[in-house]
Tab-separated table of all heavy atoms in Angstrom:
chain	number	residue	atom	x	y	z
H	15	ASP	N	122.362	113.573	84.033
H	15	ASP	CA	122.777	114.709	83.257
H	15	ASP	C	122.014	115.979	83.670
H	15	ASP	O	122.200	117.045	83.084
H	15	ASP	CB	122.610	114.505	81.745
H	15	ASP	CG	123.602	113.478	81.228
H	15	ASP	OD1	124.667	113.271	81.853
H	15	ASP	OD2	123.265	112.875	80.178
H	16	ASN	N	121.156	115.863	84.687
H	16	ASN	CA	120.361	117.003	85.057
H	16	ASN	C	120.310	117.143	86.620
H	16	ASN	O	119.281	117.248	87.231
H	16	ASN	CB	118.904	116.844	84.546
H	16	ASN	CG	118.820	117.154	83.106
H	16	ASN	OD1	118.780	118.295	82.655
H	16	ASN	ND2	118.862	116.106	82.249
H	17	GLY	N	121.533	117.067	87.221
H	17	GLY	CA	121.675	117.415	88.646
H	17	GLY	C	121.652	116.279	89.596
H	17	GLY	O	121.904	116.533	90.806
H	18	PHE	N	121.309	115.130	89.207
H	18	PHE	CA	121.299	113.917	90.135
H	18	PHE	C	122.684	113.206	90.060
H	18	PHE	O	123.383	113.230	89.081
H	18	PHE	CB	120.215	112.916	89.748
H	18	PHE	CG	118.844	113.341	90.113
H	18	PHE	CD1	118.063	114.113	89.235
H	18	PHE	CD2	118.308	113.003	91.342
H	18	PHE	CE1	116.780	114.522	89.634
H	18	PHE	CE2	117.012	113.374	91.736
H	18	PHE	CZ	116.250	114.136	90.864
H	19	THR	N	123.035	112.509	91.165
H	19	THR	CA	124.131	111.608	91.145
H	19	THR	C	123.599	110.232	91.646
H	19	THR	O	122.458	110.191	92.119
H	19	THR	CB	125.284	112.048	92.123
H	19	THR	OG1	124.769	111.809	93.440
H	19	THR	CG2	125.647	113.514	91.873
H	20	ALA	N	124.439	109.238	91.561
H	20	ALA	CA	123.980	107.896	91.996
H	20	ALA	C	123.748	107.941	93.501
H	20	ALA	O	123.074	107.028	94.035
H	20	ALA	CB	125.105	106.847	91.667
H	21	ALA	N	124.288	108.944	94.197
H	21	ALA	CA	124.164	108.999	95.668
H	21	ALA	C	123.080	109.999	96.106
H	21	ALA	O	122.864	110.212	97.290
H	21	ALA	CB	125.483	109.436	96.329
H	22	SER	N	122.311	110.548	95.140
H	22	SER	CA	121.223	111.456	95.482
H	22	SER	C	120.178	110.672	96.250
H	22	SER	O	119.947	109.468	95.981
H	22	SER	CB	120.597	112.025	94.205
H	22	SER	OG	121.493	112.813	93.522
H	23	ILE	N	119.552	111.324	97.212
H	23	ILE	CA	118.477	110.632	98.027
H	23	ILE	C	117.119	111.182	97.593
H	23	ILE	O	116.880	112.406	97.537
H	23	ILE	CB	118.740	110.870	99.531
H	23	ILE	CG1	120.063	110.167	99.900
H	23	ILE	CG2	117.552	110.394	100.350
H	23	ILE	CD1	120.433	110.349	101.372
H	24	VAL	N	116.235	110.263	97.256
H	24	VAL	CA	114.853	110.614	96.824
H	24	VAL	C	113.882	109.841	97.692
H	24	VAL	O	114.161	108.675	98.054
H	24	VAL	CB	114.654	110.270	95.338
H	24	VAL	CG1	113.331	110.755	94.828
H	24	VAL	CG2	115.777	110.833	94.449
H	25	LEU	N	112.763	110.432	97.976
H	25	LEU	CA	111.750	109.813	98.824
H	25	LEU	C	110.949	108.720	98.124
H	25	LEU	O	110.472	108.979	97.017
H	25	LEU	CB	110.795	110.914	99.428
H	25	LEU	CG	109.863	110.478	100.473
H	25	LEU	CD1	110.672	110.046	101.752
H	25	LEU	CD2	108.882	111.550	100.859
H	26	ASP	N	110.862	107.584	98.813
H	26	ASP	CA	110.029	106.503	98.272
H	26	ASP	C	108.807	106.465	99.154
H	26	ASP	O	108.843	105.867	100.270
H	26	ASP	CB	110.763	105.172	98.333
H	26	ASP	CG	109.941	104.001	97.719
H	26	ASP	OD1	108.821	104.190	97.389
H	26	ASP	OD2	110.537	102.915	97.622
H	27	ALA	N	107.763	107.130	98.682
H	27	ALA	CA	106.543	107.228	99.508
H	27	ALA	C	105.340	107.351	98.538
H	27	ALA	O	105.505	107.652	97.328
H	27	ALA	CB	106.605	108.479	100.390
H	28	PRO	N	104.104	107.093	99.022
H	28	PRO	CA	102.926	107.143	98.120
H	28	PRO	C	102.739	108.454	97.423
H	28	PRO	O	103.086	109.506	97.959
H	28	PRO	CB	101.756	106.901	99.127
H	28	PRO	CG	102.351	106.210	100.308
H	28	PRO	CD	103.769	106.743	100.424
H	29	ILE	N	102.225	108.381	96.204
H	29	ILE	CA	101.926	109.546	95.375
H	29	ILE	C	100.551	109.330	94.745
H	29	ILE	O	100.252	108.233	94.349
H	29	ILE	CB	102.914	109.790	94.219
H	29	ILE	CG1	104.335	109.605	94.596
H	29	ILE	CG2	102.635	111.112	93.558
H	29	ILE	CD1	105.337	109.759	93.473
H	30	VAL	N	99.743	110.360	94.736
H	30	VAL	CA	98.429	110.213	93.991
H	30	VAL	C	98.372	111.374	93.023
H	30	VAL	O	98.588	112.575	93.446
H	30	VAL	CB	97.233	110.248	94.975
H	30	VAL	CG1	95.906	110.133	94.203
H	30	VAL	CG2	97.337	109.121	95.970
H	31	TYR	N	98.037	111.103	91.782
H	31	TYR	CA	97.901	112.134	90.784
H	31	TYR	C	96.437	112.119	90.222
H	31	TYR	O	95.864	111.074	90.144
H	31	TYR	CB	98.800	111.911	89.572
H	31	TYR	CG	100.246	112.160	89.929
H	31	TYR	CD1	101.151	111.107	90.130
H	31	TYR	CD2	100.755	113.516	90.074
H	31	TYR	CE1	102.472	111.418	90.471
H	31	TYR	CE2	102.045	113.747	90.351
H	31	TYR	CZ	102.916	112.673	90.582
H	31	TYR	OH	104.235	112.952	90.902
H	32	GLN	N	95.937	113.318	89.900
H	32	GLN	CA	94.615	113.363	89.249
H	32	GLN	C	94.890	113.794	87.819
H	32	GLN	O	95.518	114.853	87.602
H	32	GLN	CB	93.711	114.349	90.012
H	32	GLN	CG	92.321	114.269	89.588
H	32	GLN	CD	91.403	114.984	90.538
H	32	GLN	OE1	91.846	115.658	91.428
H	32	GLN	NE2	90.119	114.901	90.300
H	33	ASP	N	94.445	112.971	86.906
H	33	ASP	CA	94.622	113.441	85.498
H	33	ASP	C	93.474	114.350	85.123
H	33	ASP	O	92.585	114.577	85.875
H	33	ASP	CB	94.803	112.231	84.521
H	33	ASP	CG	93.550	111.394	84.411
H	33	ASP	OD1	92.491	111.887	84.772
H	33	ASP	OD2	93.633	110.265	83.931
H	34	GLY	N	93.560	114.950	83.945
H	34	GLY	CA	92.605	115.930	83.525
H	34	GLY	C	91.162	115.418	83.463
H	34	GLY	O	90.217	116.179	83.702
H	35	SER	N	90.970	114.077	83.393
H	35	SER	CA	89.596	113.551	83.279
H	35	SER	C	88.968	113.252	84.608
H	35	SER	O	87.914	112.718	84.760
H	35	SER	CB	89.622	112.257	82.418
H	35	SER	OG	90.320	111.258	83.107
H	36	GLY	N	89.686	113.617	85.701
H	36	GLY	CA	89.174	113.367	87.056
H	36	GLY	C	89.525	112.016	87.628
H	36	GLY	O	89.150	111.628	88.703
H	37	GLN	N	90.275	111.167	86.802
H	37	GLN	CA	90.691	109.849	87.245
H	37	GLN	C	91.845	109.972	88.162
H	37	GLN	O	92.733	110.849	88.004
H	37	GLN	CB	91.128	108.984	86.026
H	37	GLN	CG	89.998	108.636	85.108
H	37	GLN	CD	89.082	107.640	85.695
H	37	GLN	OE1	89.525	106.627	86.278
H	37	GLN	NE2	87.786	107.758	85.545
H	38	MET	N	91.984	109.158	89.177
H	38	MET	CA	93.096	109.156	90.105
H	38	MET	C	94.078	108.131	89.632
H	38	MET	O	93.754	106.984	89.240
H	38	MET	CB	92.660	108.768	91.542
H	38	MET	CG	91.623	109.695	92.066
H	38	MET	SD	92.235	111.413	92.208
H	38	MET	CE	92.566	111.547	93.927
H	39	TRP	N	95.371	108.494	89.632
H	39	TRP	CA	96.474	107.537	89.300
H	39	TRP	C	97.346	107.370	90.532
H	39	TRP	O	97.905	108.326	91.061
H	39	TRP	CB	97.279	108.080	88.141
H	39	TRP	CG	98.414	107.107	87.705
H	39	TRP	CD1	98.254	105.827	87.481
H	39	TRP	CD2	99.778	107.431	87.495
H	39	TRP	NE1	99.509	105.245	87.105
H	39	TRP	CE2	100.418	106.241	87.086
H	39	TRP	CE3	100.504	108.595	87.615
H	39	TRP	CZ2	101.775	106.202	86.853
H	39	TRP	CZ3	101.920	108.557	87.297
H	39	TRP	CH2	102.517	107.369	86.936
H	40	LYS	N	97.401	106.144	91.046
H	40	LYS	CA	98.171	105.930	92.268
H	40	LYS	C	99.216	104.842	92.052
H	40	LYS	O	99.013	103.663	92.238
H	40	LYS	CB	97.177	105.459	93.359
H	40	LYS	CG	97.793	105.517	94.750
H	40	LYS	CD	96.764	105.071	95.804
H	40	LYS	CE	97.432	104.826	97.127
H	40	LYS	NZ	96.597	104.098	98.088
H	41	PRO	N	100.383	105.236	91.492
H	41	PRO	CA	101.453	104.218	91.245
H	41	PRO	C	101.947	103.580	92.492
H	41	PRO	O	101.962	104.197	93.561
H	41	PRO	CB	102.547	105.037	90.520
H	41	PRO	CG	102.327	106.448	90.906
H	41	PRO	CD	100.854	106.557	91.149
H	42	GLU	N	102.336	102.358	92.408
H	42	GLU	CA	102.930	101.610	93.564
H	42	GLU	C	104.184	100.887	93.194
H	42	GLU	O	104.453	100.597	91.996
H	42	GLU	CB	101.888	100.597	94.122
H	42	GLU	CG	100.670	101.190	94.794
H	42	GLU	CD	99.781	100.216	95.410
H	42	GLU	OE1	99.934	99.012	95.127
H	42	GLU	OE2	98.923	100.559	96.161
H	43	ASN	N	104.931	100.467	94.209
H	43	ASN	CA	106.126	99.605	93.937
H	43	ASN	C	105.555	98.159	93.722
H	43	ASN	O	104.462	97.868	94.240
H	43	ASN	CB	107.076	99.628	95.097
H	43	ASN	CG	107.823	100.924	95.180
H	43	ASN	OD1	108.180	101.523	94.207
H	43	ASN	ND2	108.078	101.378	96.422
H	44	PHE	N	106.294	97.362	93.004
H	44	PHE	CA	105.872	96.014	92.718
H	44	PHE	C	105.496	95.211	93.981
H	44	PHE	O	104.530	94.487	94.094
H	44	PHE	CB	106.970	95.216	91.964
H	44	PHE	CG	106.553	93.837	91.499
H	44	PHE	CD1	105.648	93.638	90.459
H	44	PHE	CD2	107.006	92.715	92.181
H	44	PHE	CE1	105.300	92.398	90.088
H	44	PHE	CE2	106.625	91.470	91.814
H	44	PHE	CZ	105.803	91.280	90.788
H	45	GLU	N	106.340	95.441	95.068
H	45	GLU	CA	106.112	94.742	96.354
H	45	GLU	C	104.971	95.278	97.174
H	45	GLU	O	104.579	94.685	98.142
H	45	GLU	CB	107.371	94.696	97.201
H	45	GLU	CG	108.655	94.368	96.434
H	45	GLU	CD	109.356	95.546	95.883
H	45	GLU	OE1	108.748	96.650	95.753
H	45	GLU	OE2	110.526	95.391	95.489
H	46	GLY	N	104.458	96.475	96.748
H	46	GLY	CA	103.408	97.173	97.541
H	46	GLY	C	103.886	97.800	98.832
H	46	GLY	O	103.112	98.040	99.681
H	47	ILE	N	105.238	97.972	98.945
H	47	ILE	CA	105.806	98.504	100.186
H	47	ILE	C	106.492	99.900	99.787
H	47	ILE	O	106.960	100.008	98.720
H	47	ILE	CB	106.896	97.530	100.728
H	47	ILE	CG1	106.254	96.180	100.986
H	47	ILE	CG2	107.521	98.077	102.012
H	47	ILE	CD1	107.284	95.084	101.308
H	48	PHE	N	106.584	100.777	100.764
H	48	PHE	CA	107.249	102.010	100.595
H	48	PHE	C	108.497	102.034	101.508
H	48	PHE	O	108.418	101.620	102.656
H	48	PHE	CB	106.380	103.192	100.969
H	48	PHE	CG	105.064	103.110	100.190
H	48	PHE	CD1	103.883	102.825	100.867
H	48	PHE	CD2	105.042	103.367	98.820
H	48	PHE	CE1	102.656	102.753	100.165
H	48	PHE	CE2	103.776	103.237	98.146
H	48	PHE	CZ	102.628	102.982	98.813
H	49	TYR	N	109.660	102.524	100.951
H	49	TYR	CA	110.875	102.379	101.719
H	49	TYR	C	111.464	103.650	102.238
H	49	TYR	O	112.531	103.692	102.782
H	49	TYR	CB	111.953	101.718	100.784
H	49	TYR	CG	111.587	100.280	100.384
H	49	TYR	CD1	110.788	100.020	99.263
H	49	TYR	CD2	112.000	99.234	101.201
H	49	TYR	CE1	110.397	98.688	98.950
H	49	TYR	CE2	111.620	97.916	100.800
H	49	TYR	CZ	110.834	97.668	99.733
H	49	TYR	OH	110.491	96.404	99.407
H	50	GLY	N	110.776	104.829	102.088
H	50	GLY	CA	111.303	106.097	102.630
H	50	GLY	C	112.463	106.621	101.789
H	50	GLY	O	112.597	106.302	100.640
H	51	PRO	N	113.368	107.414	102.444
H	51	PRO	CA	114.452	107.983	101.672
H	51	PRO	C	115.355	106.909	101.054
H	51	PRO	O	115.790	106.008	101.777
H	51	PRO	CB	115.235	108.781	102.755
H	51	PRO	CG	114.248	109.030	103.844
H	51	PRO	CD	113.319	107.868	103.824
H	52	THR	N	115.577	107.002	99.774
H	52	THR	CA	116.285	105.982	98.991
H	52	THR	C	117.343	106.586	98.121
H	52	THR	O	117.092	107.590	97.485
H	52	THR	CB	115.250	105.209	98.090
H	52	THR	OG1	114.190	104.702	98.959
H	52	THR	CG2	115.897	104.061	97.384
H	53	LEU	N	118.523	105.961	98.046
H	53	LEU	CA	119.590	106.359	97.136
H	53	LEU	C	119.109	106.120	95.699
H	53	LEU	O	118.471	105.144	95.460
H	53	LEU	CB	120.865	105.584	97.355
H	53	LEU	CG	121.659	105.870	98.659
H	53	LEU	CD1	122.760	104.807	98.841
H	53	LEU	CD2	122.249	107.251	98.583
H	54	LEU	N	119.493	107.029	94.795
H	54	LEU	CA	119.168	106.892	93.406
H	54	LEU	C	119.676	105.524	92.878
H	54	LEU	O	118.985	104.809	92.153
H	54	LEU	CB	119.846	108.020	92.593
H	54	LEU	CG	119.228	108.241	91.185
H	54	LEU	CD1	117.897	108.931	91.304
H	54	LEU	CD2	120.189	108.986	90.332
H	55	ARG	N	120.872	105.152	93.329
H	55	ARG	CA	121.485	103.848	92.932
H	55	ARG	C	120.589	102.726	93.325
H	55	ARG	O	120.264	101.826	92.509
H	55	ARG	CB	122.822	103.781	93.659
H	55	ARG	CG	123.499	102.402	93.580
H	55	ARG	CD	124.549	102.255	94.694
H	55	ARG	NE	124.947	100.877	94.771
H	55	ARG	CZ	124.272	99.864	95.312
H	55	ARG	NH1	123.078	100.113	95.861
H	55	ARG	NH2	124.697	98.619	95.296
């Protein structure tokens, strides 16, 4: 409802966030692999 479609392409690559307390948050996929450009579907 906000501009995406099932065919939108989004990057599947590592991300690192720093929260306010200085802690690093590094989410991963369950398999621990990154797949590059990925369809929303």
Side-chain angles (χ1 to χ4, degrees):
D15 290 338
N16 286 279
F18 284 88
T19 73
S22 297
I23 293 176
V24 185
L25 190 63
D26 184 353
I29 313 175
V30 179
Y31 289 103
Q32 194 164 5
D33 67 17
S35 65
Q37 292 287 316
M38 301 298 256
W39 182 51
K40 193 180 168 193
E42 289 187 347
N43 289 325
F44 184 76
E45 311 89 346
I47 303 167
F48 308 108
Y49 295 88
T52 304
L53 289 170
L54 198 76
R55 170 200 169 282

